[in-house]
Amino acid sequence: MSTLLGMDSAKEQAKAHKFNAEVSRRNALRLDYDADWSRIVVGIEKQDFLDDTEKFNAYVGQKLRGKGGVRSGEFTALDVYLDNIDEQEQDVQRMEMQAIARERGIREQAINARMDSELNEIYASQAISAGRTRAFGTLVNYGFKAASLLRA
């Protein structure tokens, strides 16, 4: 009888929406992990960069002390050394800003996945409600048909 009334179809439709909601929740969780991992990877890359620049600056400093800060053209070696340090600090700031932007983008995708999950839950609930409405309409229709047959 429930197949005749269309409730089986509504239940299957609701089941599909609930499955989609579960997939969206899983995707949101994965995106949260991706955002956390992104932050860790950038921290490692930043530390590697800082280690490399520290070695480079130590080498340049050693050469600068060995030459006694000799002036070559318009800039001294110290000027070049200080410009390098300033450029490296700007590179670190750029890395941090890119990391923040990347993490926010991933977190935004996670939020969208959660919203999609909630929407699929609503669709599942609506599918059951629509199935009940169709079933009631079918029963009423059969009732009218039976009544008209009895009158004839």
Side-chain angles (χ1 to χ4, degrees):
M1 182 70 166
S2 68
T3 301
L4 184 63
L5 297 177
M7 282 304 294
D8 286 349
S9 172
K11 287 178 184 176
E12 290 301 315
Q13 191 177 15
K15 188 190 281 188
H17 286 301
K18 286 183 180 185
F19 175 80
N20 289 340
E22 194 59 39
V23 169
S24 293
R25 272 193 291 279
R26 172 66 182 95
N27 288 342
L29 184 62
R30 181 192 53 82
L31 287 165
D32 283 337
Y33 290 142
D34 287 351
D36 294 340
W37 186 247
S38 172
R39 176 60 81 174
I40 292 168
V41 168
V42 168
I44 292 169
E45 290 172 351
K46 181 178 148 187
Q47 190 58 51
D48 287 346
F49 177 77
L50 291 172
D51 291 345
D52 291 344
T53 58
E54 185 178 335
K55 290 175 189 173
F56 174 76
N57 291 338
Y59 176 77
V60 170
Q62 180 185 15
K63 291 296 181 183
L64 179 63
R65 286 186 296 279
K67 292 187 177 193
V70 178
R71 188 174 179 90
S72 65
E74 193 174 310
F75 299 102
T76 65
L78 180 59
D79 291 333
V80 173
Y81 177 68
L82 293 175
D83 284 345
N84 282 340
I85 290 175
D86 185 49
E87 187 74 29
Q88 292 161 358
E89 288 174 354
Q90 290 176 11
D91 286 343
V92 168
Q93 288 175 353
R94 272 192 291 276
M95 289 173 75
E96 288 174 353
M97 291 304 295
Q98 289 171 347
I100 290 168
R102 187 176 318 129
E103 183 181 3
R104 284 184 180 168
I106 294 170
R107 297 244 185 249
E108 189 65 32
Q109 290 175 352
I111 289 168
N112 289 341
R114 282 187 187 84
M115 289 171 51
D116 186 56
S117 173
E118 290 174 14
L119 188 59
N120 274 302
E121 289 289 341
I122 291 169
Y123 288 159
S125 175
Q126 287 178 343
I128 294 295
S129 295
R132 286 183 184 138
T133 302
R134 281 192 307 271
F136 179 73
T138 302
L139 283 175
V140 169
N141 189 26
Y142 286 150
F144 283 128
K145 286 181 181 180
S148 68
L149 289 175
L150 291 176
R151 286 187 201 176

